[in-house]
Amino acid sequence: MNSQRLHIAIQKSGRLAERSLELIGSAGYRLTKSASDLAYSAENAPIDLWCLRDDDIPTFVADGVADLGIVGRNVLAERAAGGGNGLHEVMALGFGRCRLSIATPAGFDYRGPQSLQGLRIATTYPNLLARYLAEAGIEASIVTMRGAVEVAPRLKLADAICDLVSTGATLEANGLVAQTTILESEAVLVRSTRKLDAGVERVAEILESRFRGVAASQDAKYVMMNAPRSALARIAEILPGAGAPTVLALAGRDDLVAVHAVCQESVFWETLEALKEAGASAILVLPIEKMM
Ligand code: ATP
Ligand code: ZN
């Protein structure tokens, strides 16, 4: 093993696998797959990827076998709630969004956490569930499962479940309704708390800065419009997450100017309508490919 390379653990296959590779690609790293399918190497940077089961990623990073990892916050939080340490979240990555929620059969009369008192709740997240119940002052029994938690109520193994939900379609198909969320999750970049070798640290910092740039440019838009000079203050107020806009003269017009701005937040139709109302015309919204 070459210790001068940065090692990143990503999910081998599953919900985060493709988006993790995509993000690394968007950050400008050209990846070549190893013969075994279990690893990738970057051609243009000293970076190697290891493809693992997501559940193993925190352990590998905590033990320092990998320096960074991409994993659901839910996996990280479950480990932390169980007392595990050795790694921390560096940044949220904006994909793999889901919620860890408590769900009950559709007919259940849920009136808040106290309704869970004395129930059996099936989950693959016993530590997070135990912490939630303790904080809510509820005594319930936790049925720890390895998967397929959503079938537990039908099999009378449990009265309720605590599981990941994104669209709710799986719950609905099993006659369940989400009642309360105990954790908001998405894919996160994790880092070992161990100090990295100076050269590897530098590679990690560049990668983290590029990841931030990719995340920022995802929602960011370049907005251009013409506007009456008198409306500039109002328009600057409406533009979401923009600094001071660039104001350019328009040939032959003293009353009108061109306004250009980088908006760091999503630009919705409502924003465009508000700009139009403020007097803007010829409004263009363009994607931004890279940002630093
Ligand atoms: P592995 O084979 O790596 O153990 P897995 O089956 O445990 O995979 P996946 O189902 O691929 O894991 O989910 C990986 C992550 O995707 C989850 O930990 C979670 O952070 C995220 N995720 C997003 N939406 C959902 C969802 N609806 N259900 C489950 N996980 C989701
Ligand atoms: Zn898993």
Side-chain angles (χ1 to χ4, degrees):
M1 190 175 76
N2 185 341
S3 64
Q4 290 310 303
R5 294 177 73 84
L6 177 74
H7 295 97
I8 311 175
I10 63 167
Q11 193 187 21
K12 180 169 177 282
S13 61
R15 288 183 154 95
L16 304 182
E18 206 171 306
R19 295 293 304 270
S20 301
L21 286 172
E22 227 173 81
L23 170 64
I24 295 165
S26 305
Y29 300 107
R30 277 197 309 280
L31 301 173
T32 321
K33 204 176 203 166
S34 74
S36 66
D37 258 26
L38 298 173
Y40 288 84
S41 283
E43 298 162 18
N44 54 348
I47 296 178
D48 292 327
L49 307 184
W50 281 326
C51 306
L52 305 166
R53 287 283 309 270
D54 68 345
D55 317 73
D56 294 332
I57 292 174
T59 311
F60 276 82
V61 175
D63 292 352
V65 180
D67 309 302
L68 300 176
I70 296 178
V71 72
R73 180 182 291 132
N74 46 294
V75 175
L76 182 68
E78 174 65 12
R79 177 187 159 93
N85 51 20
L87 75 170
H88 65 274
E89 177 177 328
V90 179
M91 70 181 93
L93 299 173
F95 61 90
R97 288 210 170 92
C98 57
R99 307 181 304 281
L100 183 61
S101 298
I102 295 178
T104 64
F108 185 86
D109 181 23
Y110 184 83
R111 302 178 177 198
Q114 69 277 10
S115 298
L116 302 170
Q117 184 69 36
L119 299 189
R120 289 166 309 154
I121 310 174
T123 190
T124 53
Y125 295 87
N127 296 326
L128 286 171
L129 178 59
R131 189 177 70 187
Y132 171 80
L133 293 171
E135 280 169 7
I138 304 295
E139 278 185 44
S141 52
I142 298 175
V143 181
T144 303
M145 295 177 64
R146 296 294 297 268
V149 166
E150 66 282 355
V151 302
R154 224 180 324 133
L155 299 179
K156 307 274 180 244
L157 295 170
D159 309 299
I161 69 166
C162 172
D163 202 9
L164 295 176
V165 186
S166 46
T167 60
T170 308
L171 288 185
E172 202 180 321
N174 287 282
L176 301 168
V177 179
Q179 303 289 10
T180 186
T181 294
I182 73 171
L183 182 83
E184 298 278 351
S185 184
E186 65 186 280
V188 297
L189 181 70
V190 292
R191 195 197 237 263
S192 139
T193 46
R194 238 171 12 101
K195 196 167 163 3
L196 302 183
D197 171 275
V200 178
E201 173 63 36
R202 182 78 196 115
V203 178
E205 280 168 14
I206 293 171
L207 175 129
E208 287 170 13
S209 144
R210 289 187 183 185
F211 273 18
R212 283 200 182 85
V214 174
S217 66
Q218 261 162 7
D219 279 343
K221 293 283 181 279
Y222 194 80
V223 183
M224 311 196 286
M225 74 204 81
N226 292 343
R229 210 176 266 286
S230 59
L232 278 177
R234 174 76 191 115
I235 281 170
E237 246 171 58
I238 296 168
L239 289 169
T246 306
V247 177
L248 304 162
L250 285 175
R253 293 293 299 258
D254 283 341
D255 53 333
L256 274 189
V257 287
V259 181
H260 291 198
V262 173
C263 293
Q264 307 277 3
E265 296 159 26
S266 304
V267 178
F268 298 106
W269 284 108
E270 288 76 5
T271 313
L272 303 191
E273 284 151 12
L275 288 170
K276 192 162 164 247
E277 203 154 300
S281 57
I283 308 171
L284 295 181
V285 180
L286 308 175
I288 293 173
E289 192 176 298
K290 292 192 176 65
M291 207 153 79
M292 192 175 255

